[in-house]
Structures are given as structure tokens and as C-alpha cells.
Amino acid sequence: MTSPVASAPRTASDPRRWWALAVLAASLLVVVMDMTILNVALPAMTDELHLSAVSQLWVVDVYALALAGLLVPVTALADRWGRKRMLVTGYAAFAVGSLAVLWADSAAAVVAIRALLGLGGAMVMPSTLSLIRSTFDDARERTLALSVWGATAALGAAVGPVVGGALLEAYSWHAAFLVNVPLMVVAIVAGLWLLRESRSARPGRVDATGVVLSAGGMTAAVYAVKQLGKHGPTLPTVGLLALGVAALALFVHRSLRSDRPMLDVRLFRQPVLRAGVVAALASSALMATVLFTGSQWLQLVEGMSPLRAGLALLPLAVGAMLASPFAPALAERTSPRLVLAAGLVVLAVGLALVAVLPTTYPWIAVAFAVVGLGTSALGLGSALIMGAASDDQAGSAAAIEEITYELGAVLGITFLGSMVGAVYRAGLPDGVDAATGESLAGAAGGPWATEAADAFVTAFASMGAVGAVGAALAAYAVWRLVPARLSLGDTQH
């Protein structure tokens, strides 16, 4: 039970709750766009600032490292300090970091800015989920709101390259960051006006040891997994991964022994929450991999510009946006178990189409749209995660979901992306030059360009086949974990 100060949910008759959702969804759109927009801006930034290969990696990776490492302590602090306050502070961090690119003249400056944006993302993303949990008291309305949230995330991931490409064609790389500033200013004003404060009546204890274990463990584990994908297993990388996992294990042990843990890992005892985590992990991993490898195929095999490639990826977002609002109604008529598992099956079908359809854009666009349709039930997964938590545990549930999304994207690109690279190299003829053997980009314009393109097409199809198997296994796991008689009303804790 929460105190009046800790939580003030809106009544079903209050129409402002939907305006509040619009603010939360729009701000999430900006944050997710920022994750993908850098991929388009990086070449121009590298040319102007003369970034080394190592500097480029840090510019790309530091955002995810800061976001992953700070999710748990920042979310626990928001439970105590106020989730609305944390959200608005995250908006401000995003605006300040985005504006600071005007003075960025070195790799170190850009890395620092990206780290600040990662901090802002850690403040914004779980806070949006926690506030949806407290704003929508009715389980059915909350599921619809979370479906909109999930569709917005998919839209942001697909639209980021489009916006980035359009801005770069008209302006410098700075515009890819500066576009955030006016959007965040509007979000701050609207958030202060429309959102109500929400806190936990029993917030977790934020202690130094817990912060070091959670932040250090997550950062080390995510960085090590990224390095495994880029360079393969090495002794330092495996050692760092072991250190990160050990730190996280100690953090979990410490949380289980505490009556007020920083992250309530006891939530994992609930099969319904575990089902939501499986769905979120699979969807995030596979969507990130499709965006990553699909963008390469469109640009390096089909010869599209970054802007055209971004537009060509939009069927992914369109599929999710069209179907997401209907998933809650379908779940109410049937069951959340059926709709969530069926969504993952549709995702598997879309990936299987990537594997078997002719590798030309009109056919692949159909496959992309089906993949997008498969992610449309993701809001139900979010509803299972957030519904498994009480108001006091909303921050922990939000942190668990965001960690799942972040790890899913990292694991998907690392392992499926690495598999694509291995299949690509295996498909090359003997005697290719080193640049061609390293990547498809290295073969561009060279004597082995045709052979490299054919090898990548095979690798792209193999990603679809393996991803389809993974989505099907996730569907089976969800079917086993979610009770057959569970209804949307039962997702209300």
C-alpha cells in the first residue's frame, strides 16, 4: 500500500492521463532515436574531429555503458526522490548534453557528452515505465499504454537513421544532436504540467557497496560482451566478463538478504514476470540484429544512401505501430498467454521470411513488416513485468525491463552479428584481400565486391534462420510460463 504522497494515480475519468502518456512516449522516442542516430552521424564526425578507431568505438559504446551501469542506482534513487523529478532531470541532462556538441572539438569531449546522454537515458527510460504504472491504475488501460510505449520504442529505433540522414544531408553532424534540445525543452514544460509525482513508500536503500556492485558489474559485463563480438574471446575480455558476472552475483546475493534492496530481485520468483523478461529479451535482441544487419545489407549490397536505407527500414516500425493498439483488445478476448506467444511466433515467421524469400528489397520489406507485426505484442510483455510489481516495486520492475532491453540489444548484435560475420567470411573465395576478409565495407569498390556481396546475402539469410529458431524457442518458453487462465485484469498487482 502506498501513501498519498508516494503515489497519486489518476482516476479512470481523468482525460489528462492520455496526455501524460503522450509526453512519456514522445520523450522515449527521442531517447531511442538518439541510440541509432549516431551511426549515421559518425562518419562526418570522424572526418571533422579526426577520431581514431579506438575513439570511434568509445564514442559509440560509452552511451550504452553509462546507461546500463546507472540503471539500477538511478532507478532506486528515483523511487526515493521522485520519479517525475528524475524524469525531468533526465530531460535536462539530454538537453544540456545535446547542446554541448557546439563546443565539442575533441574525441574526449564527444565521449563525455555521450556519457552524459547515457546518464540522461538511464534517468528517462525506467522513469517512463514507472510513471505509466502509477498513472494508469486500470490493468487494461495500462496494457494499452504499455503497447503504445513499446511501439514508440520500435518507431524510434527505425526512425533514428531516417532523421539522422535527413539532417546530415542538410546540415553538419552537430544537427543530429541539436535536434534534441527543443524537443527536450518542450518535454520538460509538458512533463512539469501534466505528470504527477510518484514515489515508493518503501524505497530501496541506495548504498555505496550496492552501487559499485550493480554499476560496475553491469558496465563490465556489457563492455566485455561487446568486445567478444568485435574481437572474439581473449583472456582480458573473458576475465572482465567473469569479474562483471561475479559482481552482479554478489549484488543479487546482497539484495536477497536485504529487507529493502536497491533492486527487488525477488520479483523473478514470479513466472509471469519471467515470461515478460523472456519476451522482452528475445524481441529486443532480434529487432536490434535485424536493424544492424539490415542496414548493412541495404547500404553495402543494395547501394542505398544512409537516408534511403533508413526509409527502407520503416516497414519494421509500421508493422509494430499498426498492430500494437490491437494487441490488448485481442488479449482481452482470448488471453495474454496466447497473444504474447503468438506475437513471438509471428516474429519467428518474419525472420524465416528473411531466410527464404528472394533477397531483393520488395520481398525483404514484406519480411521486415512481418517482423514489426511480431513485436507488436511486446506491450503485453511489459504489462506482465510491470503488473507483477506493486506500486512500491514499480521502480525495480522498470529497471528489470530496461536492463532486459539493453542486454537484449547487446547480446543480439554481439552473437548474431558475430555469426553473420563468420558466415560472411566462410562464404568468401580463397585469396581475397585482408580488407574484404575483415568486412563487407572493406570490399566496397574492390575487385572482390561481387563475391563479398553474395557472401553477405548468405550471411543475412542465416541470421534470419537462426533468429527464427530463437523467437520460436522464446514463444515456447512464454507459453509454458504464463498461466493459461491469466487475464489482463490479473496483471494488476
Side-chain angles (χ1 to χ4, degrees):
M1 184 175 71
T2 57
S3 67
V5 175
S7 178
R10 300 176 189 277
T11 63
S13 61
D14 186 355
R16 290 179 58 178
R17 67 194 185 282
W18 297 109
W19 287 108
L21 175 63
V23 174
L24 296 171
S27 61
L28 176 69
L29 180 69
V30 175
V31 173
V32 177
M33 280 174 52
D34 200 75
M35 294 179 180
T36 57
I37 202 170
L38 180 72
N39 296 328
V40 181
L42 187 62
M45 184 192 304
T46 299
D47 289 341
E48 181 174 323
L49 300 180
H50 308 291
L51 301 180
S52 65
V54 174
S55 296
Q56 291 177 54
L57 290 176
W58 274 107
V59 168
V60 172
D61 289 346
V62 71
Y63 181 97
L65 295 177
L67 177 64
L70 294 172
L71 269 173
V72 172
V74 165
T75 305
L77 184 61
D79 285 346
R80 180 180 299 274
W81 187 49
R83 293 153 183 163
K84 173 183 172 180
R85 286 182 179 177
M86 187 62 74
L87 180 73
V88 172
T89 304
Y91 292 161
F94 241 86
V96 171
S98 300
L99 185 63
V101 298
L102 291 174
W103 295 275
D105 57 359
S106 66
V110 177
V111 169
I113 289 169
R114 290 279 293 167
L116 178 58
L117 293 175
L119 170 61
M123 293 176 171
V124 170
M125 296 184 72
S127 295
T128 60
L129 281 169
S130 297
L131 287 167
I132 287 174
R133 173 69 175 79
S134 62
T135 298
F136 291 90
D137 195 46
D138 180 78
R140 294 169 178 80
E141 285 194 347
R142 186 193 312 134
T143 303
L144 177 58
L146 289 169
S147 294
V148 173
W149 183 93
T152 302
L155 179 65
V159 167
V162 178
V163 174
L167 290 172
L168 284 172
E169 288 195 358
Y171 308 102
S172 72
W173 62 268
H174 299 83
F177 292 86
L178 292 174
V179 68
N180 295 331
V181 178
L183 297 175
M184 287 295 100
V185 170
V186 172
I188 290 172
V189 174
L192 290 172
W193 177 40
L194 289 168
L195 299 175
R196 292 186 181 180
E197 190 54 275
S198 170
R199 299 183 185 89
S200 172
R202 284 180 52 81
R205 295 186 181 92
V206 183
D207 62 287
T209 302
V211 170
V212 171
L213 290 174
S214 63
M218 280 295 297
T219 303
V222 169
Y223 181 76
V225 170
K226 282 177 170 285
Q227 293 304 303
L228 284 173
K230 292 170 185 174
H231 308 296
T234 63
L235 184 59
T237 300
V238 173
L240 183 63
L241 179 60
L243 181 63
V245 171
L248 291 174
L250 286 173
F251 175 72
V252 170
H253 178 70
R254 183 182 179 86
S255 298
L256 289 173
R257 295 181 61 187
S258 173
D259 61 334
R260 291 172 60 186
M262 193 159 61
L263 180 71
D264 196 348
V265 295
R266 296 182 184 89
L267 287 169
F268 278 101
R269 293 173 178 170
Q270 303 185 44
V272 169
L273 180 132
R274 297 201 299 271
V277 167
V278 169
L281 187 71
S283 299
S284 175
L286 295 170
M287 177 65 89
T289 306
V290 170
L291 286 169
F292 176 69
T293 56
S295 179
Q296 288 183 298
W297 174 72
L298 290 166
Q299 294 184 61
L300 300 175
V301 177
E302 295 297 292
M304 295 185 183
S305 67
L307 177 57
R308 284 189 61 204
L311 291 170
L313 289 169
L314 284 181
L316 284 163
V318 172
M321 292 294 291
L322 288 178
S324 290
F326 299 101
L330 185 59
E332 190 167 1
R333 288 177 175 270
T334 56
S335 72
R337 178 198 199 191
L338 177 63
V339 174
L340 188 57
L344 289 167
V345 170
V346 172
L347 178 58
V349 170
L351 290 162
L353 291 177
V354 172
V356 302
L357 289 178
T359 315
T360 57
Y361 179 68
W363 288 108
I364 296 300
V366 173
F368 284 168
V370 176
V371 169
L373 288 172
T375 64
S376 63
L378 191 55
L380 291 177
S382 298
L384 295 182
I385 294 174
M386 298 306 296
S390 66
D391 287 340
D392 292 340
Q393 298 169 314
S396 289
I400 288 170
E401 180 160 356
E402 289 303 336
I403 289 170
T404 301
Y405 280 123
E406 183 65 27
L407 285 180
V410 171
L411 292 172
I413 293 175
T414 295
F415 293 109
L416 285 178
S418 297
M419 184 207 70
V420 167
V423 174
Y424 162 76
R425 287 187 289 273
L428 293 173
D430 294 334
V432 299
D433 55 76
T436 300
E438 179 67 24
S439 67
L440 178 61
W448 300 98
T450 301
E451 291 81 358
D454 291 341
F456 191 83
V457 167
T458 302
F460 186 41
S462 71
M463 179 277 300
V466 175
V469 173
L473 291 174
Y476 175 73
V478 165
W479 185 263
R480 293 296 302 270
L481 287 168
V482 179
R485 296 183 178 181
L486 184 78
S487 68
L488 284 185
D490 296 331
T491 62
Q492 171 67 48
H493 189 280

